[in-house]
Amino acid sequence: CRFSQMLHPIFEEASNVIKEEYPDKNQVVFARVDCDQHSDIAQRYRISKYPTLKLFRNGMMMKREYRGQRSVTAIADYIRQQKSNPIREVQDLEEISSLDRSRRNIIGYFEQKDSDNYRTFERVANILHDDCVFLSAFGAISKAERFSGDNVIYKPPGENAPDMVYLGSLTNFDLIYAWTQDKCVPLVREITFENGEELTEEGLPFLILFHMKDDLESLEKFQQEVARQLIGEKGTINFLHADCDKFRHPLLHIQKTPADCPVIAIDSFRHMYVFPDFSDLSIPGKLKQFVLDLHSGKLHREFHHGPDPTDVAPGQPIQDLASSPPESSFQKLAPSEHRYTLLREKDEL
């Protein structure tokens, strides 16, 4: 791979720079994998393009891979940034009242910093700091919030949104990580040019609401119905929303334009299926059946052979992409030096 050969000496030099700054080998480890020789590792971490730079923390692969400039300076700066403390220490509880409530905030109140409780909190923050703002308070400053011991709370977006308290063990990493991830990562996420490839790499099909940027009513209705009908499908499909103006190309795959929005569709990475009518969204079970028909293969079957004889097709088959590789329409838009992209469309917008 020509690009891998080009990166190899840059990657090695960056590792030497970082080694000088962090001589303790447990602080930062640079490693490389030959995916021809170790295809099992490549498959485990869904490596499909080369070279790929992945970050691991505490043995866990971070969902955001490195996509910055391929230079010694840029890679070393990235590592320095990753080594910075993701938790802001609060010096006065008055600071809590002035938090940016458009963000998701996780606040830990601890008796002391040198404790297992705080170390676990720090591990979680290191992994999820891109999704939430993490803050902490210690000792006398935090005492008013520690009436029953060390405490972690979540302040959701919105000035009047009520706080949520973590009730599990503060030393159980798996429990507090799962709780925090649930709070920090929205059920319905926005897909953008910047995160399209990242979302594709999670390996799950997309259920997407295409809506105009200022059409918040449709988005709220979609979020409500996803939470009501599809919470049990979390982990089998990604729930997303996209700006119709920015993502005209995926709309063209289903013969739609921004004038048709709001539109709901599934991108299975092989085909795109259209939910029949946005106004049907509030019909009990309708959206869930659409997703179940994807999992059962019904949408795929009807895509190729038309509606079942006794059925009305829940997804409108538009275009056969079987001759294309299994790649999301959004992944094709993501910046990459290893594949043809449609960045010209982004530039025109």
Side-chain angles (χ1 to χ4, degrees):
C1 169
R2 181 168 65 92
F3 293 109
S4 297
Q5 291 172 350
M6 291 168 58
L7 180 61
H8 186 180
I10 296 170
F11 187 71
E12 188 163 352
E13 187 177 347
S15 74
N16 290 330
V17 170
I18 292 299
K19 185 178 180 180
E20 290 292 322
E21 297 181 28
Y22 302 98
D24 184 346
K25 65 180 182 180
N26 293 322
Q27 288 286 307
V28 182
V29 176
F30 278 70
R32 64 175 182 261
V33 178
D34 182 333
C35 292
D36 285 331
Q37 292 186 12
H38 302 284
S39 58
D40 56 327
I41 295 177
Q43 291 173 4
R44 185 189 314 165
Y45 297 111
R46 299 194 186 103
I47 309 301
S48 59
K49 63 186 188 306
Y50 304 96
T52 292
L53 298 180
K54 294 279 192 181
L55 179 71
F56 288 75
R57 285 186 179 275
N58 302 300
M60 181 181 296
M61 185 182 75
M62 301 297 93
K63 62 183 179 181
R64 289 177 174 85
E65 68 184 52
Y66 176 76
R67 292 192 176 87
Q69 187 179 1
R70 303 297 174 89
S71 71
V72 173
T73 300
I75 293 174
D77 284 345
Y78 172 73
I79 296 300
R80 294 184 190 104
Q81 180 186 11
Q82 293 298 318
K83 289 296 294 177
S84 63
N85 191 343
I87 306 171
R88 176 164 70 88
E89 185 173 342
V90 172
Q91 302 301 328
D92 189 318
L93 290 187
E94 285 297 316
E95 294 179 39
I96 303 299
S97 61
S98 61
L99 287 177
D100 180 356
R101 293 307 298 268
S102 68
R103 303 289 304 275
R104 298 167 184 269
N105 296 280
I106 302 286
I107 308 167
Y109 299 99
F110 303 95
E111 183 176 1
Q112 56 187 7
K113 185 177 289 190
D114 185 19
S115 65
D116 290 339
N117 287 350
Y118 180 71
R119 280 188 282 271
T120 305
F121 183 73
E122 197 172 31
R123 286 179 64 193
V124 173
N126 274 318
I127 296 170
L128 294 172
H129 63 86
D130 287 333
D131 302 296
C132 265
V133 176
F134 286 83
L135 304 100
S136 62
F138 302 96
I141 294 172
S142 66
K143 187 174 182 180
E145 297 290 340
R146 290 187 292 103
F147 44 87
S148 58
D150 289 354
N151 191 24
V152 172
I153 68 165
Y154 166 60
K155 285 185 175 295
E159 291 296 333
N160 300 316
D163 295 350
M164 302 179 71
V165 181
Y166 173 69
L167 300 175
S169 166
L170 286 171
T171 57
N172 187 316
F173 171 79
D174 291 335
L175 281 180
I176 192 169
Y177 173 75
W179 181 86
T180 308
Q181 183 184 47
D182 182 64
K183 304 297 178 287
C184 292
V185 181
L187 184 60
V188 178
R189 293 176 283 177
E190 181 178 11
I191 186 166
T192 66
F193 285 105
E194 290 71 30
N195 69 3
E197 187 173 8
E198 172 189 309
L199 289 169
T200 300
E201 287 168 355
E202 294 182 12
L204 300 177
F206 298 162
L207 176 68
I208 314 157
L209 167 70
F210 294 94
H211 67 108
M212 302 305 291
K213 186 175 182 179
D214 58 355
D215 180 13
L216 301 181
E217 183 180 347
S218 295
L219 175 58
E220 184 177 356
K221 181 180 288 188
F222 181 69
Q223 290 171 327
Q224 289 174 349
E225 292 304 323
V226 166
R228 182 178 293 121
Q229 299 186 41
L230 294 172
I231 192 67
E233 295 300 317
K234 186 179 180 182
T236 69
I237 190 167
N238 271 331
F239 310 117
L240 308 170
H241 67 100
D243 184 327
C244 286
D245 271 330
K246 289 184 178 179
F247 288 105
R248 294 168 182 263
H249 178 74
L251 281 173
L252 288 176
H253 276 277
I254 52 176
Q255 296 182 354
K256 301 288 185 181
T257 70
D260 298 308
C261 291
V263 172
I264 296 173
I266 287 176
D267 184 347
S268 72
F269 302 174
R270 291 193 67 84
H271 309 296
M272 290 188 72
Y273 311 101
V274 183
F275 188 67
D277 192 327
F278 181 81
S279 62
D280 291 342
L281 183 62
S282 57
I283 298 177
K286 190 81 171 182
L287 188 63
K288 182 174 183 178
Q289 190 60 53
F290 184 52
V291 172
L292 293 179
D293 287 346
L294 169 74
H295 296 325
S296 71
K298 182 178 180 181
L299 293 184
H300 183 81
R301 183 175 67 251
E302 293 186 340
F303 185 99
H304 291 284
H305 306 294
D308 288 348
T310 58
D311 253 340
V312 175
Q316 178 185 353
I318 298 296
Q319 181 181 357
D320 190 346
L321 304 178
S323 59
S324 303
E327 181 177 42
S328 162
S329 299
F330 292 91
Q331 187 179 23
K332 296 171 187 173
L333 299 176
S336 172
E337 59 200 11
H338 315 295
R339 63 163 63 84
Y340 171 72
T341 65
L342 296 173
L343 292 178
R344 287 193 303 275
E345 178 179 322
K346 181 183 178 184
D347 293 336
E348 290 167 5
L349 294 173

